Amino acid sequence: MRALGIDLGEKRIGIAVSDSNGKVATPIQVLVRSKSTKQDHNKINELVNEWEAEIVVVGMPYSLNGSKGSAARLVEKEVEKLSDSISVPVTIHDERLTTVIAAQELSLQGLDNKRQREVIDQVAASVILQSWLDNRA
């Protein structure tokens, strides 16, 4: 089962995809937010179709104590809209510390801060997706 992983940010949306067996997540791109959420969701749906994804996994930014803060409530509302505008099921997955993990991975690869900022959202999406894939196994 191929899955698309998403890290919804205020300015950028990180995108990752799994292999067709649903085992390995790979970062693929960062979408810069447009002024229209609907347009952003259309781009996500295009990626769902392009990659033939069967499910979309969205990172949920719970607080460290597991509660839903303002960021989680915003993502929850957007996930509802996204579910209505794309052709496959949408699920959420805990994304606590994924950006920290992504930054550590990029630092280990020797990327400077400027280059990290360009790709961190897609790497965070792959961390979210990989965690979801691993939990399913």
Side-chain angles (χ1 to χ4, degrees):
M1 170 197 296
R2 178 159 289 162
L4 200 71
I6 298 180
D7 181 28
L8 291 173
E10 290 181 35
K11 296 180 181 178
R12 291 175 302 280
I13 301 171
I15 308 287
V17 69
S18 74
D19 63 327
S20 59
N21 295 323
K23 302 284 185 200
V24 179
T26 303
I28 56 170
Q29 74 182 92
V30 174
L31 299 175
V32 175
R33 287 272 195 182
S34 70
K35 296 193 186 313
S36 163
T37 303
K38 183 176 177 152
Q39 186 176 351
D40 296 339
H41 292 178
N42 287 342
K43 286 181 183 176
I44 292 169
N45 196 46
E46 288 172 11
L47 290 168
V48 165
N49 293 330
E50 176 184 340
W51 289 96
E52 299 176 349
E54 298 172 53
I55 191 166
V56 171
V57 179
V58 178
M60 179 59 69
Y62 294 111
S63 300
L64 287 178
N65 68 5
S67 66
K68 287 184 185 173
S70 59
R73 286 189 291 276
L74 287 172
V75 167
E76 200 169 46
K77 287 179 184 175
E78 185 167 353
V79 165
E80 286 178 28
K81 291 177 185 174
L82 180 62
S83 295
D84 292 339
S85 64
I86 66 171
S87 56
V88 298
V90 178
T91 190
I92 59 170
H93 187 73
D94 188 351
E95 72 164 38
R96 282 179 281 186
L97 302 178
T98 55
T99 302
V100 172
I101 294 165
Q104 289 172 340
E105 287 180 16
L106 293 171
S107 290
L108 288 173
Q109 292 177 20
L111 271 68
D112 61 29
N113 286 339
K114 181 178 187 269
R115 182 70 179 125
Q116 281 188 28
R117 280 191 299 277
E118 295 171 0
V119 298
I120 194 150
D121 299 297
Q122 67 185 11
V123 174
S126 73
V127 172
I128 293 163
L129 183 55
Q130 189 64 57
S131 174
W132 182 81
L133 294 169
D134 292 346
N135 284 341
R136 286 182 53 240

